[in-house]
Amino acid sequence: MAELPGTVSEPEVAAARRRVCDLGFLHTPVRGPRGLLYRCAAEPVASYVRKGGDAADAKAGSACATACRPPSGRARRRPGGGVEPPPVTIGKDVSFLPSLSPDAAPYTAADVVEWLAAGAGPVEGAA
């Protein structure tokens, strides 16, 4: 996740969010004493741990799973009018950034497409 002000990359922004598992991206089926149930790294940590999960996994998965924006690019709205703080993900390999923006200036998705179309080629290992 990119470290940007106002996003869930900031510990205080992430901590201020209400933990909720409403999308199911991180659901894992587990067998409990009463049968099949699901645990989710985005649910409250105590619930996750009670279902056999590790607290460290819950803390790592919450913001990314529940703050994801819909494909429309609009912010996710919560009941009661709240808005999820955005995550900004860029993957693990950022070695291309100096080529894309040598002066570290801001750039847009259009700039990335133009850079790729100019012959930078596909990112190694991408499908």
Side-chain angles (χ1 to χ4, degrees):
M1 196 169 303
E3 295 178 4
L4 296 171
T7 68
V8 292
S9 68
E10 292 187 316
E12 58 276 3
V13 173
R17 297 183 57 256
R18 183 175 72 93
R19 293 182 63 92
V20 60
C21 180
D22 60 349
L23 298 174
F25 294 150
L26 299 179
H27 275 180
T28 302
V30 293
R31 187 152 317 274
R34 297 183 183 163
L36 184 65
L37 55 98
Y38 292 91
R39 71 173 172 236
C40 176
E43 70 186 320
V45 176
S47 297
Y48 187 75
V49 171
R50 187 176 62 250
K51 296 174 186 175
D54 183 309
D57 294 338
K59 290 178 180 171
S62 175
C64 190
T66 61
C68 290
R69 292 173 178 242
S72 68
R74 292 188 219 143
R76 288 200 62 227
R77 300 223 175 258
R78 290 268 167 232
V83 177
E84 283 286 354
V88 178
T89 59
I90 58 173
K92 291 182 180 182
D93 179 8
V94 294
S95 62
F96 65 93
L97 288 177
S99 298
L100 177 63
S101 180
D103 57 357
Y107 55 89
T108 66
D111 294 330
V112 174
V113 170
E114 184 178 316
W115 177 75
L116 288 170
V123 175
E124 190 174 317

